[in-house]
């Protein structure tokens, strides 16, 4: 995990489309970082207008999760399982 992360506000876990575990971590820097488990390799990050104070996972198997930031905005996110497949298939053409 990135040693520069300070002020963790929330943690949540879910599985991707291949049933691999992912950790969601919101911090005071307005980012939600996604980490592969158990390696803690950064998988990506999402930016919010203000600190994300709440993370909630949607129904199992949907890849949906919800964030709530300090402005009061609720955002619905969906893990994109197709992105990796499209990138792989287009680079092999």
């Amino acid at each position: 995990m990135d040693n520069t992360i300070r002020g963790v506000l929330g943690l949540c876990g879910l599985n991707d489309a291949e049933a691999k575990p992912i950790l969601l971590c919101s911090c005071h820097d307005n980012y939600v970082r996604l980490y592969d488990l158990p390696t803690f390799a950064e998988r990506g990050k999402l930016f919010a207008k203000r600190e994300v104070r709440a993370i909630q996972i949607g129904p199992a198997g949907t890849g949906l999760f919800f964030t709530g930031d300090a402005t009061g905005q609720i955002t619905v996110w969906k893990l994109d399982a197709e992105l990796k497949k499209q990138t792989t298939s287009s680079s092999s053409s």
Side-chain angles (χ1 to χ4, degrees):
M1 200 184 278
D2 184 356
N3 291 331
T4 62
I5 295 175
R6 302 281 187 264
V8 172
L9 296 171
L11 295 170
C12 206
L14 76 156
N15 291 329
D16 67 9
E18 297 172 354
K20 294 179 182 174
I22 299 171
L23 175 68
L24 305 173
C25 175
S26 66
C27 300
H28 281 290
D29 63 0
N30 302 355
Y31 280 98
V32 175
R33 288 178 171 77
L34 289 74
Y35 295 99
D36 283 324
L37 293 176
T39 63
F40 288 96
E42 189 173 284
R43 186 173 184 155
K45 57 186 171 182
L46 309 169
F47 184 75
K49 292 178 184 179
R50 298 261 320 264
E51 301 93 359
V52 171
R53 303 207 175 220
I55 305 172
Q56 182 68 43
I57 303 306
T62 62
L64 292 175
F65 62 97
F66 310 90
T67 59
D69 69 21
T71 67
Q73 181 174 349
I74 297 173
T75 306
V76 178
W77 303 90
K78 181 168 175 61
L79 291 176
D80 188 0
E82 296 300 315
L83 183 60
K84 186 175 180 183
K85 293 177 187 173
Q86 290 173 356
T87 303
T88 303
S89 63
S90 65
S91 63
S92 63
S93 300

